[in-house]
Amino acid sequence: MKIVFINNLYKPYARGGAEKVVEQRALKALEQNNEVIIITLAKNKSEHNQVFWDGKIKIIRIYPQNIFSYFDLSKHNYFIKLIWHFIDIFGCMSELKQILLFEKPNIVETHNLIGLGVYKVHKILKSLKYDVKWNHYLHDVQLVEPSGVLAWYHQKDSFVQKIYSKIMKQKFRAVDEVISPSKFLKEFYKKRGFFQNSEFRVQNLQSMFEKKQEKSNLKLESTNQEFKFLFVGSLTEHKGIRVLMKAWDFFDNKQGYWLNIVGDGNLCAEVEEWSKNKKNVQMFGRLESKQLENIYNHSDILIIPSICLENYPTVILEAQKYGLQIIASDTGGIRELVAEENLFEPENVEELVKKIKEKSR
């Protein structure tokens, strides 16, 4: 059987949990003796329609026609982004059709499609003139909000979000099977009338995160006497890094407390400025897998201070496989992974401080 996975990002351009899930699902399919192909974004025009190999996995990179690349989306203002999204939604990528006609897959599994310009995938699959199953894997709320980010307290969709949702419901009406790692995300979309004719399956990701033993020689400055806390994620507003900084100010240079911060993002300079005079904080930027494993092996507690609706953060699963305890904001599907006594109200700095103190006793 031949399976095609379509996701906007894939290593070495991976940014978050979605790319890890795609990679693991591709590897699992390969283990089951399937032929696996990944269609993903090219970062520059020279990679367009080029084939790369990751072991036995065939990777085809495409560079969509738009006013700029998906990789540059964050550099532009709201109005320009709106034009970009319009082209992305209503454009039609003939390259995708040609690839699928040539490869003739049995299953096409779509993931995050923003930037690929392939929202007419239902018409493309229908035009293949043979039976092909279409699975769609949910990672976040981006079929309602293109950015994939909604505030943790979000209840009512805006007028623009309702219009966008209507378009997305139409474009995904022909999905055969929908897969979600969380009950929260299933209910989020069911409430809005998505996937009414599709089979819906909730499949958690626990089995994908089995313990590994590799370690690197990455230097850690903390000592064995310190209780080591860890943040891993994007240094952005919605991931709650500012909430964590405010909470950690209560532990500024206090003996027995240490915080490692792993990640990058648009608030990186602000976090660096905040941390430079603190003797109990170390920043690492984005790390490769073996270096990150070393961080996990030398940490005690992972802090997830998100202030957006989270789905099923893979960083929690990664930390748990190394035996870390979790402190997390109570948003979205996080409570499906974390015990209630370890949750705190999003944006509540005092509650986070209290949880840190409780865990370090």
Side-chain angles (χ1 to χ4, degrees), residues 77-345:
N77 61 41
Y78 177 81
F79 179 72
I80 298 298
K81 287 179 180 178
L82 195 63
I83 296 173
W84 183 93
H85 279 295
F86 183 87
I87 296 171
D88 189 50
I89 293 169
F90 294 102
C92 182
M93 179 165 285
S94 59
E95 287 91 344
L96 176 65
K97 182 177 179 179
Q98 295 304 315
I99 291 169
L100 296 180
L101 280 170
F102 178 79
E103 297 292 349
K104 294 183 172 57
N106 304 99
I107 297 174
V108 171
E109 182 173 298
T110 51
H111 289 255
N112 289 340
L113 298 179
I114 289 180
L116 282 164
V118 294
Y119 283 108
K120 291 185 178 179
V121 65
H122 61 294
K123 291 186 177 180
I124 294 172
L125 294 179
K126 188 176 180 180
S127 71
L128 298 181
K129 297 181 180 179
Y130 74 92
D131 289 335
V132 54
K133 184 180 181 183
W134 179 15
N135 296 342
H136 184 69
Y137 194 104
L138 295 170
H139 291 278
D140 54 28
V141 298
Q142 67 178 233
L143 299 185
V144 171
E145 166 53 50
S147 69
V149 178
L150 289 174
W152 66 273
Y153 49 79
H154 180 86
Q155 293 292 329
K156 187 176 181 181
D157 298 343
S158 68
F159 175 75
V160 173
Q161 288 166 345
K162 288 178 180 178
I163 295 298
Y164 183 75
S165 295
K166 186 176 181 179
I167 295 170
M168 291 297 103
K169 275 186 273 191
Q170 178 72 10
K171 290 184 177 295
F172 283 83
R173 71 188 186 280
V175 172
D176 295 298
E177 182 176 355
V178 182
I179 306 165
S180 172
S182 70
K183 296 176 184 177
F184 157 74
L185 205 57
K186 175 183 177 180
E187 294 306 314
F188 178 89
Y189 281 109
K190 283 290 188 181
K191 179 182 177 181
R192 290 162 173 79
F194 277 82
F195 311 116
Q196 294 184 0
N197 301 316
S198 307
E199 180 183 349
F200 217 123
R201 179 159 53 99
V202 175
Q203 183 182 50
N204 70 57
L205 303 171
Q206 298 283 356
S207 61
M208 288 172 48
F209 291 86
E210 298 176 356
K211 185 164 179 59
K212 297 180 180 179
Q213 299 299 326
E214 298 94 332
K215 294 184 180 181
S216 76
N217 57 0
L218 184 67
K219 183 180 179 182
L220 299 174
E221 295 179 2
S222 57
T223 69
N224 292 330
Q225 286 71 44
E226 288 163 321
F227 214 81
K228 304 173 191 70
F229 293 83
L230 174 65
F231 172 90
V232 178
S234 298
L235 302 183
T236 55
E237 178 75 21
H238 66 274
K239 289 299 182 180
I241 187 62
R242 283 178 170 151
V243 175
L244 177 56
M245 289 191 293
K246 289 177 183 177
W248 199 258
D249 283 339
F250 287 84
F251 306 95
D252 189 6
N253 299 327
K254 280 189 178 180
Q255 188 175 4
Y257 294 88
W258 185 269
L259 175 64
N260 288 319
I261 298 175
V262 177
D264 59 16
N266 65 339
L267 296 182
C268 188
E270 179 180 328
V271 179
E272 286 180 348
E273 180 65 24
W274 167 83
S275 67
K276 70 180 183 180
N277 294 320
K278 289 179 167 51
K279 298 178 181 178
N280 60 348
V281 177
Q282 187 174 2
M283 287 188 65
F284 290 93
R286 185 179 292 273
L287 296 178
E288 297 301 321
S289 58
K290 287 188 178 181
Q291 292 180 315
L292 184 55
E293 286 167 3
N294 192 44
I295 293 281
Y296 282 131
N297 276 315
H298 292 86
S299 299
D300 300 303
I301 295 176
L302 178 75
I303 301 177
I304 306 286
S306 296
I307 61 173
C308 63
L309 287 177
E310 291 280 9
N311 172 23
Y312 200 85
T314 57
V315 65
I316 294 178
L317 298 175
E318 287 181 334
Q320 286 175 336
K321 79 177 181 180
Y322 292 101
L324 274 69
Q325 299 182 66
I326 311 294
I327 297 174
S329 54
D330 188 6
T331 172
I334 285 181
R335 62 170 41 242
E336 297 176 39
L337 285 165
V338 179
E340 188 168 356
E341 62 266 23
N342 295 327
L343 298 172
F344 67 95
E345 181 185 37

